[in-house]
Amino acid sequence: MSTETPMQSESENRASTTPGEADDADSEQSDAIVGTWEEIGRELLCARLERIREETVRDAFRQATSRISDGDELTEDDIDAMYRAIQEAKRATEMAAGTSPETAPFPDRWGFLNEDGREAYLEEVERRRGH
């Protein structure tokens, strides 16, 4: 059983590789971490959208339709529940839109104040539009 710590073995592995190999290994490790985080983000977004679809909106509107079909009037609580469900669905939709390359927001132009920056901004807008 080895008594090396992960930091020791990583340092030793880097010392035994050439600088280019170490950079490639770091890049691969970074790509793997980013890929893992993207997967986690996708799963969380999917779970939130499923919950909103399956529970939030359905339940709020089911309560209202049930009350109406029973011949009762909608209450203020019924209306509030429907509004809250719609707002939650809207927030989730905006989050989903923010993660979609097709609907990603344009960069803040104030981050590009000089002439080169303005040109970079226009190029980025065109790139995102796909032109």
Side-chain angles (χ1 to χ4, degrees):
M1 183 166 151
S2 174
T3 58
E4 285 183 351
T5 65
M7 295 298 284
Q8 287 174 326
S9 60
E10 185 177 320
S11 301
E12 290 169 7
N13 286 342
R14 287 188 182 179
S16 67
T17 60
T18 64
E21 290 173 336
D23 290 343
D24 290 344
D26 287 346
S27 177
E28 288 174 12
Q29 185 176 14
S30 293
D31 290 346
I33 291 170
V34 168
T36 300
W37 280 109
E38 286 177 0
E39 290 171 17
I40 291 170
R42 286 178 185 278
E43 289 175 15
L44 290 172
L45 179 59
C46 185
R48 183 168 183 189
L49 293 173
E50 283 289 326
R51 184 184 58 76
I52 288 169
R53 179 181 68 97
E54 291 292 326
E55 298 172 14
T56 307
V57 174
R58 179 197 66 204
D59 291 349
F61 283 79
R62 179 182 288 160
Q63 178 65 33
T65 56
S66 176
R67 189 176 306 278
I68 291 168
S69 55
D70 289 345
D72 296 332
E73 298 295 321
L74 291 178
T75 67
E76 185 177 346
D77 288 341
D78 294 328
I79 301 299
D80 286 344
M82 288 189 296
Y83 274 128
R84 281 192 309 273
I86 290 168
Q87 288 301 316
E88 187 171 350
K90 181 180 178 193
R91 283 191 299 274
T93 303
E94 289 168 349
M95 184 186 339
T99 63
S100 170
E102 293 178 3
T103 59
F106 291 117
D108 181 9
R109 64 183 168 271
W110 297 113
F112 303 95
L113 293 177
N114 63 21
E115 184 65 30
D116 292 337
R118 284 190 291 274
E119 288 178 27
Y121 175 79
L122 292 173
E123 289 172 6
E124 181 64 14
V125 169
E126 290 301 312
R127 184 188 72 77
R128 290 186 185 197
R129 287 185 179 159
H131 298 288

